[in-house]
Amino acid sequence: MSSNFEYEILDSVSDPILAASPVYNSEQKIIDFEIDYVNPVYLQMTFDFAHAGDKFSSFSSKLPQSVDWFYNAVKTVENNKSFETTYYSQRDNTWFHITMNKSKNNRCIVTLTNDNERKRIEAQLNDLTYNDVLTGIPNRSCFNRVFDDTVEKAAREKTSVGLMLIDIDDMKSVNDVSGHVAGDSVLRRSAHILRRFENDETRIFRLGDDEFVVLINNLPSRNRMVTIADVIFESFQNGSISISAGISICPDDNTQAADLLKYADLAMHAVKKNGKNDIAFFERTMYESFLHHTLLQEKLLIASENNAFELYYQPQFNIETNTLRGFEALIRWHDDTFGWINPEEFIPIAEETHVIIRLGKWVLETAAETLKTWQSEYGFKGIMSVNVSPMQLTDVNFVIELSHLIKKYDIKPGTFEIEITEGICIDNIKRSVKLLNQIRTLGVLISLDDFGTGYSSFRYLQYLPLNTLKVDKAFVANLDSQVTVESNITNSIISLVTKMGIDTIAEGVERIGQLDALKEMKCHNIQGYLRGKPMEKTRCDAILKGDLSLLVRTGDEPLDVIGISVSK
């Protein structure tokens, strides 16, 4: 400073200010700085730490090592470029924001600001940004930042990282049945369980919804990951919480963070697919299956746009009279790359992508048109049965569009049947009953498919307006002359629904022994390879004309002893 007047001006400034002049050696190189002036606010904030006449070298050892005062002051003076940073002083128990500027007379002007309030706000914002509000543990944003750095560090240091992706099973059911308060309690308990495993090498995160991640640095071996995962899984079991978890390891499975998370997710979904409540390590076959699934999904979208599907028809026969009850319309898809693709493989994908809505409309239209042709040309009095996805039934226009089809093709009442599964009853049985009653008023029959599997409940039978119940092939497979668990269950199902006035069809009948057992149980109808496989429409046309030799079948008896017939 050039005068006391200038000092007096700085004395009145509210910001803490220090002015220091460079000290040169004989070679005009800066070797230190001497303080020329310190204003009263500076002295007060730093608790009288530095005074005029002091040199930086005299107190540099007492300053936090995160800031090199001398080095940065030299750069400021020599380059005439401002420098600023924030540091924490343990001596003062204070966060300081420091700014260095060069004055016109070649001095270094240092300005300090108490940064405690800004740091407090910053910490609060950081907590909101990087911590999950419900559980208090780090969230997805924090995981993304930490995970990338962890994998990069592991690559540099040639260490291993374990990633365990955890999904709480059936959280939707918990929220729907017990309420979101109960669901939140499960999530908090889950976080509490995982916190027990936190240490210098293990961090936990909540990715969102019902997913958590355990990230393990410096993993010594794959066996160690197995041990950790088993202990975590057991802790959840002891807490009465069911989890499905997938594990990937860097670098064994991959060295890219995004791929490792994807692989853990694939392993977790493999557990879900196989019944939940378990742990799986990523395997290469999972990725191959994922690629196949993805390719099939792309092909399915193209095929649905190009109408690249066919309808086949499988006959159903009355057991007592051997007469044709009708046909079930079954969708078929042939692809140039994969050949014939099983509906059990592509129908779930169609439901995932909502392509099932478009496919379902095409199936209903085609089946109705075929039925009208058979009724007009061959006097066919049987039933055309069509599978309908639960997703189709949620379409508000379904009943209107079905009514339009019935009128368009002048379908006779009692000859068109839709097959539903119990899945429609899970979310809202009252709505389902109302919907099915509307369908019944159109003269359309209703069949319950796959009874005995999945969500089966006899309770549904007293509510649903059913015409027919189909006994799943899983129960029919082991039917024979001997009494088995399957035969007892099947007999009970048939006996009960018959008393309720509901018709019965047994699926998957392939042997005479099965047919005899079903006849003994007084099952009304059968469907299966013993009487006929699914066939093209042209072959069905010929059969309806009377050429029964064209039935495509697989059975344990020659066709000529069966004595089947087509009634008109």
Side-chain angles (χ1 to χ4, degrees):
M1 295 292 167
S2 59
S3 68
N4 290 332
F5 176 71
E6 291 174 310
Y7 291 152
E8 291 175 1
I9 293 176
L10 292 178
D11 283 346
S12 63
V13 174
S14 60
D15 291 330
I17 295 176
L18 174 152
S21 297
V23 177
Y24 297 92
N25 62 11
S26 58
E27 298 175 354
Q28 292 300 299
K29 179 179 179 181
I30 300 176
I31 59 173
D32 207 339
F33 280 86
E34 182 176 344
I35 299 176
D36 298 320
Y37 167 78
V38 180
N39 73 351
V41 180
Y42 192 102
L43 289 173
Q44 182 181 4
M45 177 176 285
T46 61
F47 300 98
D48 206 27
F49 180 67
H51 302 83
D54 290 345
K55 290 185 170 60
F56 281 9
S57 58
S58 66
F59 58 78
S60 60
S61 62
K62 301 177 184 178
L63 293 171
Q65 298 304 303
S66 59
V67 180
D68 189 332
W69 278 52
F70 173 71
Y71 172 81
N72 291 301
V74 170
K75 292 296 182 183
T76 298
V77 171
E78 291 182 343
N79 300 331
N80 193 23
K81 186 175 181 180
S82 297
F83 165 80
E84 61 180 308
T85 189
T86 300
Y87 71 93
Y88 179 72
S89 171
Q90 288 185 325
R91 188 184 71 86
D92 302 317
N93 191 28
T94 302
W95 280 97
F96 288 115
H97 184 80
I98 179 173
T99 303
M100 292 183 177
N101 291 289
K102 180 182 177 181
S103 68
K104 293 180 180 180
N105 48 16
N106 206 38
R107 286 184 173 87
C108 179
I109 308 300
V110 179
T111 304
L112 281 187
T113 306
N114 186 316
D115 219 24
N116 282 340
E117 181 62 17
R118 190 183 68 82
K119 278 292 183 179
R120 184 187 66 79
I121 295 173
E122 184 181 276
Q124 289 180 337
L125 292 175
N126 187 72
D127 189 61
L128 290 172
T129 302
Y130 292 111
N131 284 299
D132 176 54
V133 175
L134 177 65
T135 63
I137 65 176
N139 60 17
R140 177 183 285 273
S141 296
C142 184
F143 169 74
N144 291 338
R145 185 181 62 177
V146 171
F147 188 39
D148 289 343
D149 293 342
T150 300
V151 173
E152 289 178 7
K153 182 180 178 183
R156 290 194 307 270
E157 300 179 356
K158 299 188 184 307
T159 57
S160 294
V161 176
L163 178 70
M164 183 176 183
L165 179 63
I166 298 170
D167 184 273
I168 310 301
D169 292 331
D170 303 318
M171 276 300 298
K172 184 178 184 302
S173 297
V174 173
N175 288 325
D176 290 347
V177 175
S178 303
H180 286 276
V181 172
D184 289 347
S185 175
V186 172
L187 294 173
R188 281 192 290 265
R189 284 165 50 208
S190 299
H192 179 71
I193 290 171
L194 291 174
R195 277 198 182 98
R196 303 173 195 167
F197 299 93
E198 280 188 306
N199 53 46
D200 291 341
E201 305 296 345
T202 304
R203 296 192 62 175
I204 64 169
F205 307 85
R206 183 187 176 199
L207 291 195
D209 295 332
D210 50 6
E211 286 190 341
F212 294 84
V213 161
V214 179
L215 183 63
I216 303 173
N217 298 309
N218 298 316
L219 187 68
S221 67
R222 191 179 187 89
N223 286 338
R224 177 61 177 164
M225 189 71 217
V226 172
T227 301
I228 294 172
D230 285 344
V231 175
I232 291 175
F233 183 79
E234 184 178 353
S235 298
F236 274 97
Q237 300 301 293
N238 292 337
S240 300
I241 298 176
S242 174
I243 65 170
S244 298
I247 297 171
S248 61
I249 296 177
C250 171
D252 296 10
D253 298 320
N254 205 288
T255 57
Q256 300 298 314
D259 287 334
L260 287 166
L261 183 59
K262 178 171 64 180
Y263 291 170
D265 187 66
L266 290 174
M268 183 267 288
H269 277 92
V271 172
K272 291 281 189 184
K273 187 176 180 180
N274 293 324
K276 305 179 183 179
N277 200 32
D278 203 354
I279 302 171
F281 279 76
F282 170 74
E283 298 176 3
R284 183 56 52 179
T285 54
M286 295 176 182
Y287 186 60
E288 293 169 355
S289 177
F290 168 74
L291 291 178
H292 175 76
H293 181 92
T294 303
L295 179 59
L296 204 60
Q297 181 175 307
E298 293 174 357
K299 284 180 168 288
L300 182 65
L301 290 171
I302 296 172
S304 66
E305 293 172 356
N306 297 332
N307 295 321
F309 297 91
E310 299 178 61
L311 272 194
Y312 275 44
Y313 304 88
Q314 185 171 27
Q316 301 167 335
F317 285 90
N318 182 281
I319 290 180
E320 288 296 327
T321 64
N322 275 335
T323 54
L324 183 69
R325 174 190 185 264
F327 292 90
E328 179 181 2
L330 299 166
I331 190 169
R332 293 292 182 262
W333 177 26
H334 184 275
D335 178 74
D336 293 339
T337 303
F338 296 118
W340 288 104
I341 303 173
N342 194 319
E344 292 182 359
E345 183 176 9
F346 73 80
I347 291 297
I349 298 177
E351 291 179 331
E352 289 173 17
T353 57
H354 288 204
V355 171
I356 194 67
I357 301 296
R358 186 188 305 164
L359 281 185
K361 290 180 180 180
W362 175 82
V363 170
L364 284 169
E365 177 90 29
T366 306
E369 183 180 15
T370 298
L371 177 59
K372 179 59 179 177
T373 299
W374 288 348
Q375 289 176 342
S376 300
E377 297 185 8
Y378 312 120
F380 178 59
K381 297 179 181 178
I383 296 169
M384 175 67 79
S385 188
V386 182
N387 288 282
V388 175
S389 165
M391 188 174 292
Q392 287 177 258
L393 293 172
T394 61
D395 187 341
V396 294
N397 295 318
F398 179 80
V399 175
I400 296 174
E401 292 173 353
L402 181 60
S403 174
H404 173 72
L405 277 181
I406 299 301
K407 294 176 181 177
K408 177 180 178 180
Y409 293 105
D410 191 24
I411 302 298
K412 298 175 183 177
T415 62
F416 200 71
E417 178 179 68
I418 65 167
E419 294 190 14
I420 63 171
T421 62
E422 292 161 323
I424 71 164
C425 306
I426 300 305
D427 293 330
N428 191 328
I429 191 168
K430 290 184 178 180
R431 177 189 175 280
S432 300
V433 171
K434 180 180 179 180
L435 175 67
L436 296 179
N437 277 321
Q438 290 175 337
I439 294 172
R440 283 283 299 268
T441 61
L442 301 177
V444 175
L445 305 177
I446 297 173
S447 173
L448 182 61
D449 197 11
D450 298 333
F451 189 82
T453 63
Y455 302 103
S456 293
S457 171
F458 282 104
R459 182 174 66 90
Y460 295 145
L461 299 182
Q462 64 182 316
Y463 299 118
L464 298 179
L466 301 175
N467 300 100
T468 309
L469 182 140
K470 300 186 78 171
V471 180
D472 189 74
K473 59 185 177 183
F475 291 97
V476 175
N478 294 323
L479 292 183
D480 50 34
S481 58
Q482 297 180 346
V483 177
T484 62
V485 173
E486 288 90 345
S487 65
N488 286 330
I489 293 175
T490 305
N491 191 30
S492 298
I493 293 173
I494 293 172
S495 176
L496 175 64
V497 300
T498 299
K499 291 177 182 178
M500 297 174 67
I502 299 174
D503 207 9
T504 53
I505 300 177
E507 296 182 295
V509 179
E510 299 181 359
R511 305 188 304 274
I512 290 295
Q514 295 170 324
L515 176 60
D516 291 340
L518 290 165
K519 185 180 293 185
E520 184 72 22
M521 297 174 188
K522 301 189 183 309
C523 181
H524 303 111
N525 306 283
I526 63 167
Q527 178 178 342
Y529 286 7
L530 182 66
R531 284 293 188 263
K533 293 183 178 182
M535 297 168 287
E536 305 96 319
K537 177 181 177 297
T538 54
R539 186 178 289 268
C540 294
D541 289 342
I543 292 170
L544 291 175
K545 291 178 183 178
D547 189 354
L548 299 179
S549 66
L550 292 177
L551 272 172
V552 180
R553 54 181 298 281
T554 302
D556 52 11
E557 293 290 339
L559 180 64
D560 58 356
V561 302
I562 294 177
I564 62 176
S565 64
V566 178
S567 63
K568 298 183 180 180

